[in-house]
Amino acid sequence: MGNSKLYKGSLNTIILKLLEEQGKMYGYEITQKVKNLSKGELNITEGALYPALHKLEADGLLDVEVEKVDNRLRKYYKLTEKGEKETVNRLAELEEFIRSMQNLVNPNWSIE
Amino acid sequence: MGNSKLYKGSLNTIILKLLEEQGKMYGYEITQKVKNLSKGELNITEGALYPALHKLEADGLLDVEVEKVDNRLRKYYKLTEKGEKETVNRLAELEEFIRSMQNLVNPNWSIE
DNA sequence: TTCTTATACATAAGAAAATTATGTATATTT
DNA sequence: AAATATACATAATTTTCTTATGTATAAGAA
């Protein structure tokens, strides 16, 4: 688990960013993608992910489309137009936040 | 305020890091320092800060020392020995977390 | 062939960690 | 004199997780 508790607040933005990149993804796929990209550092729990997806959908940022693969259900999510706009803003905010955190924690780091 | 809600989970580590750097600080000073270092990006609210300081003290990571300056109370906090050890660990965790977040959000960034 | 692990969804109970609101008090600036 | 800054604190509420639990199918291991 490690620092799993540390990503509070940024889960939504991570979801949006991945969907922007990948076009469409289903929940389980997102958990695996994040795990792989972070080399096991970040583990999104289902209890956090599914409610987050439902809320983003309710807020009109995501569209959902159900598919059946190998007799198993998959709910593919993709950004709505509103979602695309929001993603730009939230990503900018998150990047700014990361820079600020870096500057606090390790001013020697530089980003290029 | 901006993305003030984004630093969830890392407030304790920020406090520890600053105390490691500065030797001793009082609560209000910490809020101002963080605000300055982040150019106004990060605003620690008092409702978050004071309970956090009290908990770190209760956990034996901080020592407190009261001073009166200009007829006003100041509670100076500094790391205990236990606190110094913990700071090393938590900072390493936070740095690792920041790297992971960066890698997710903007793999093009590089840290040097 | 049975058991475990992986895939895939979901929700409820509880905990953690903030925000917001409120309170006290003194010092400084307008 | 009033407003802002300094300095602490806590209670109520909200947000956002974790943990636990549930359903169901597929694949791989024993």
Side-chain angles (χ1 to χ4, degrees), chain A residues 8 26-28 46 50 54 72-75:
Chain A
K8 280 192 181 174
Y26 56 99
Y28 185 77
E46 295 166 303
Y50 291 114
H54 300 160
R72 257 189 317 227
L73 203 70
R74 278 187 192 171
K75 292 179 104 175

Side-chain angles (χ1 to χ4, degrees), chain A residues 63-92:
Chain A
D63 268 343
V64 70
E65 201 183 315
V66 180
E67 270 185 47
K68 205 159 194 176
V69 180
D70 290 332
N71 202 36
R72 257 189 317 227
L73 203 70
R74 278 187 192 171
K75 292 179 104 175
Y76 276 97
Y77 291 91
K78 65 165 190 280
L79 296 177
T80 62
E81 219 169 301
K82 186 180 172 191
E84 281 170 29
K85 285 175 195 159
E86 261 296 292
T87 301
V88 177
N89 299 329
R90 297 210 195 175
L91 257 180

Side-chain angles (χ1 to χ4, degrees), chain A residues 6-10 13 90 93-94 97, chain B residues 2-10:
Chain A
L6 290 168
Y7 60 83
K8 280 192 181 174
S10 35
T13 308
R90 297 210 195 175
E93 263 189 30
L94 183 52
F97 163 70
Chain B
N3 49 25
S4 53
K5 75 160 70 154
L6 290 170
Y7 60 83
K8 281 190 179 174
S10 35

Side-chain angles (χ1 to χ4, degrees), chain B residues 62-90:
Chain B
L62 301 185
D63 268 343
V64 70
E65 200 183 316
V66 181
E67 270 184 47
K68 208 160 194 176
V69 180
D70 289 332
N71 201 37
R72 254 186 323 226
L73 203 71
R74 277 187 192 172
K75 291 178 104 176
Y76 276 98
Y77 290 90
K78 65 166 191 280
L79 296 178
T80 61
E81 218 169 302
K82 187 180 171 190
E84 281 170 29
K85 284 174 195 160
E86 259 297 291
T87 301
V88 177
N89 298 328
R90 298 210 195 176

Side-chain angles (χ1 to χ4, degrees), chain B residues 16-34:
Chain B
L16 293 174
K17 160 73 179 173
L18 287 178
L19 289 176
E20 186 192 56
E21 236 174 54
Q22 308 288 319
K24 67 172 190 175
M25 298 181 84
Y26 55 99
Y28 186 76
E29 190 184 9
I30 293 176
T31 65
Q32 302 307 303
K33 186 83 181 175
V34 169

Side-chain angles (χ1 to χ4, degrees), chain A residues 11-12 15 27 30 46-64 75 77:
Chain A
L11 177 57
N12 286 312
I15 293 171
I30 293 176
E46 295 166 303
L49 178 69
Y50 291 114
L53 286 172
H54 300 160
K55 179 153 199 318
L56 288 169
E57 192 198 348
D59 290 345
L61 304 183
L62 301 185
D63 268 343
V64 70
K75 292 179 104 175
Y77 291 91

